[in-house]
Amino acid sequence: MTMKEHNWLITTPLLTLLLFVSFPAFSYGLVSPPTLLNKLSQGTFLTTQDLWFHQTLDHFSPNDQREFLQRYYEFVEYFDVPDGPIFLVIGGESELSGIENDYVAVLAKKFGAAIVSVEHRYYGKSSPFDSLETENLKYLSSKQTLFDLAVFRHYYQNSFNAKLSGKKIENPWFVFGGSYAGALSAWFRLKFPHLTCGSLASSAVLHSVYNYAEYDQQVGASAGAECKAVLQETTQLIEHKLATNGEELKASFNADGLERDGDFMYLVADAAALAIQNGTPQELCNPMVKAKKAREDLVDAYAKYVKEFFFGTFSFNVKIYDQDYLKKTSTNEDSSTRLWWFQVCTEVANFQVAPSNDSIRSSKLDTKYHLDLCKHVFGEGVFPDVDATNLYYGGTKIAGSKIIFSNGSQDPWRHASKQTSSTDLPSYTIACSNCAHCTDLRGCPLFPLSLEGNEKNCSSPDAVHRVRLQISKHMELWLSECDEGKNFM
């Protein structure tokens, strides 16, 4: 086992402060491929300039002095020099390409904040190892990542002060994240309350369970009764064709490379579910309901949707559903999928299984399918200890403070988030027909990005606006309390 060999790799225990602060003048589940993010977000970044710092490989072993380069981005155009707040946007389970011009930018303008964003360890260009073999992935966990953020926060504050002629300033920090990164945002505030004034946990998947049947149930509810019935019928027809002429069926979906029937049915389920999760239900339901009313072949209609929208517009690679492809340990453009499955198989699970009745997805997608995938892809002994994860973080009973939770009413992940509100842990649900994953940060739909997270494409812009006002209100209070007392607790 060797770490990446580059001429910049250092093995000393000391972090080298790289003073790159420049003043001008982001499916839980199967992740969106980098090609999709690049394709749909061109011209929407505040900055794409790569910056680097040296990160500790293992925060829990004081005798391990290895380090790796971790990528981050900064945007300081809105910063109120010298004591404005610093917004930390957490990178999640995919490559980070820059700081996007979403609703965080609007908040940064309002509060005079600098924005920094850190790429999650192992993802994108922040991998410690050239090979992603299972043994090398043992340092990939949410716990290590939280310490990454704490180390980065210390590093960046020091480098910020150095740029300000050595002035000793403790800027107020506020943390943001969506989906898995939303959970990290909440967990960072929980574990390091002295390092941040508060956090926004957008569509945060907090609660870990083995069988997350609520995902499929919410997909059906969000699709509506008519569309749900069509999708259920389509799944049954696909299962029948799979049993009688599987090769021809898979070929009609451009998925003939998927030898395992379970992998193919996972693709079939995901193609529908992600349309709901991403806030584009009409792209799925309109053609399927139309085909049903016209008495057209539903399997052909669904295959057309998958090829044109799922593989076309959303640029999903069919290979990421192939377990043999996920076994590949060389880094490639689809590495994020292997990496996220490792976290699923070791920490969080939330297997998207078929409910016992009234399911849209195939009954083949049960607990055994997921556990077999974990074993096949990563080897023996890989198993998600969800009880330990919930014990460590608290699940939906998280006992932190000054954390804002926000969920879209149509998001299949909202049932694993915190939906009960309290004074110190306010929770809001944005209700509209296409208010799905991370609506508060991105607007509708999730992709492509609407500049500054503009809510105009949401079916109820007022609903989004009202929740954003509450977010801003809490931030203003907590930042002022933080600034007055210089006490983040």
Side-chain angles (χ1 to χ4, degrees):
M1 180 182 68
T2 58
M3 292 184 70
K4 277 186 174 180
E5 295 182 359
H6 296 286
N7 58 11
W8 42 256
L9 181 64
I10 63 172
T11 56
T12 64
L14 299 178
L15 284 173
T16 302
L17 296 182
L18 305 176
L19 304 180
F20 282 135
V21 181
S22 60
F23 284 90
F26 126 86
S27 109
Y28 196 92
L30 288 180
V31 297
S32 303
T35 52
L36 165 64
L37 298 177
N38 293 336
K39 176 181 177 182
L40 297 182
S41 299
Q42 288 177 353
T44 63
F45 290 96
L46 296 174
T47 178
T48 57
Q49 181 183 354
D50 294 350
L51 301 174
W52 304 89
F53 77 107
H54 291 90
Q55 182 62 268
T56 302
L57 176 65
D58 185 0
H59 297 286
F60 301 102
S61 178
N63 295 323
D64 189 340
Q65 300 179 356
R66 289 174 295 172
E67 295 176 337
F68 67 97
L69 275 188
Q70 190 164 26
R71 181 165 60 171
Y72 75 97
Y73 299 89
E74 68 170 357
F75 183 77
V76 294
E77 185 173 326
Y78 305 142
F79 182 63
D80 187 5
V81 181
D83 54 0
I86 299 175
F87 289 173
L88 172 59
V89 179
I90 301 173
E93 67 277 28
S94 62
E95 179 178 3
L96 204 61
S97 299
I99 297 177
E100 288 186 318
N101 185 13
D102 60 12
Y103 191 66
V104 175
V106 177
L107 293 169
K109 288 180 185 178
K110 173 180 173 63
F111 291 103
I115 308 173
V116 290
S117 189
V118 184
E119 188 169 61
H120 195 294
R121 60 167 51 209
Y122 283 83
Y123 292 90
K125 295 183 179 179
S126 296
S127 180
F129 301 97
D130 286 316
S131 171
L132 301 180
E133 60 189 277
T134 301
E135 173 65 16
N136 286 350
L137 300 183
K138 64 184 178 181
Y139 307 105
L140 172 57
S141 70
S142 61
K143 298 180 183 66
Q144 294 280 5
T145 298
L146 293 178
F147 272 89
D148 285 350
L149 297 171
V151 169
F152 173 80
R153 188 244 188 254
H154 177 72
Y155 151 76
Y156 192 81
Q157 184 66 70
N158 286 344
S159 65
F160 220 61
N161 289 341
K163 276 291 183 180
L164 295 173
S165 303
K167 293 182 179 179
K168 184 65 175 178
I169 295 174
E170 188 65 29
N171 297 85
W173 285 66
F174 205 92
V175 184
F176 299 81
S179 194
Y180 162 59
L184 291 175
S185 178
W187 295 339
F188 185 73
R189 171 65 192 171
L190 173 71
K191 298 298 183 180
F192 297 97
H194 58 295
L195 297 183
T196 173
C197 305
S199 77
L200 173 62
S202 173
S203 299
V205 185
L206 297 174
H207 186 55
S208 297
V209 295
Y210 292 114
N211 298 323
Y212 186 54
E214 293 87 348
Y215 186 92
D216 187 82
Q217 291 167 344
Q218 185 61 56
V219 168
S222 298
E226 186 176 34
C227 181
K228 175 183 176 182
V230 174
L231 293 174
Q232 288 175 323
E233 181 180 353
T234 303
T235 298
Q236 293 172 2
L237 292 170
I238 289 174
E239 287 185 315
H240 177 72
K241 285 195 174 185
L242 187 62
T244 57
N245 196 345
E247 291 186 6
E248 181 180 335
L249 172 68
K250 291 175 183 177
S252 70
F253 279 77
N254 290 346
D256 43 314
L258 300 181
E259 295 183 4
R260 292 175 179 81
D261 290 350
D263 294 350
F264 175 70
M265 293 310 298
Y266 203 107
L267 161 64
V268 168
D270 238 19
L274 290 180
I276 302 297
Q277 179 178 313
N278 291 336
T280 53
Q282 72 284 351
E283 301 289 350
L284 166 70
C285 291
N286 288 356
M288 293 307 298
V289 171
K290 181 180 178 181
K292 173 64 177 178
K293 290 180 177 179
R295 297 185 179 181
E296 297 173 358
D297 188 301
L298 291 180
V299 176
D300 288 346
Y302 194 70
K304 184 174 185 290
Y305 156 78
V306 169
K307 289 183 288 188
E308 292 184 357
F309 188 73
F310 195 63
F311 292 156
T313 301
F314 275 93
S315 300
F316 271 84
N317 184 351
V318 66
K319 290 182 179 179
I320 66 175
Y321 292 91
D322 181 359
Q323 292 184 38
D324 292 329
Y325 185 71
L326 293 176
K327 287 172 65 72
K328 293 184 179 296
T329 59
S330 58
T331 56
N332 56 62
E333 65 176 5
D334 300 316
S335 293
S336 292
T337 310
R338 172 177 170 81
L339 294 169
W340 179 242
W341 267 116
F342 180 79
Q343 292 192 258
V344 167
C345 292
T346 55
E347 272 194 290
V348 299
N350 285 331
F351 299 146
Q352 296 158 49
V353 299
S356 57
N357 56 67
D358 201 30
S359 174
I360 293 177
R361 62 186 53 218
S362 169
S363 59
K364 292 180 183 293
L365 303 179
D366 55 9
T367 309
K368 184 179 185 302
Y369 167 80
H370 290 86
L371 291 177
D372 286 348
L373 182 150
C374 292
K375 179 179 178 180
H376 180 72
V377 174
F378 301 108
E380 296 282 354
V382 174
F383 189 81
D385 192 348
V386 297
D387 291 337
T389 301
N390 290 327
L391 182 64
Y392 189 71
Y393 296 120
T396 55
K397 296 181 179 179
I398 185 171
S401 65
K402 297 183 177 179
I403 306 169
I404 307 165
F405 296 94
S406 177
N407 290 280
S409 61
Q410 307 306 304
D411 185 7
W413 286 110
R414 71 183 182 92
H415 302 284
S417 187
K418 182 175 176 57
Q419 297 183 91
T420 56
S421 189
S422 61
T423 302
D424 231 13
L425 296 172
S427 178
Y428 302 98
T429 299
I430 307 174
C432 72
S433 65
N434 62 345
C435 287
H437 213 47
C438 302
T439 292
D440 55 332
L441 294 181
R442 299 187 66 94
C444 306
L446 183 61
F447 299 110
L449 176 69
S450 176
L451 291 180
E452 297 189 336
N454 193 308
E455 66 266 26
K456 67 179 181 180
N457 291 324
C458 297
S459 65
S460 178
D462 287 345
V464 182
H465 184 66
R466 285 194 298 269
V467 169
R468 286 176 169 175
L469 285 178
Q470 291 300 317
I471 291 172
S472 180
K473 178 181 176 182
H474 289 296
M475 289 182 61
E476 187 170 13
L477 174 62
W478 296 344
L479 285 170
S480 65
E481 291 176 344
C482 194
D483 191 52
E484 289 173 3
K486 295 298 180 183
N487 182 358
F488 297 170
M489 301 292 285

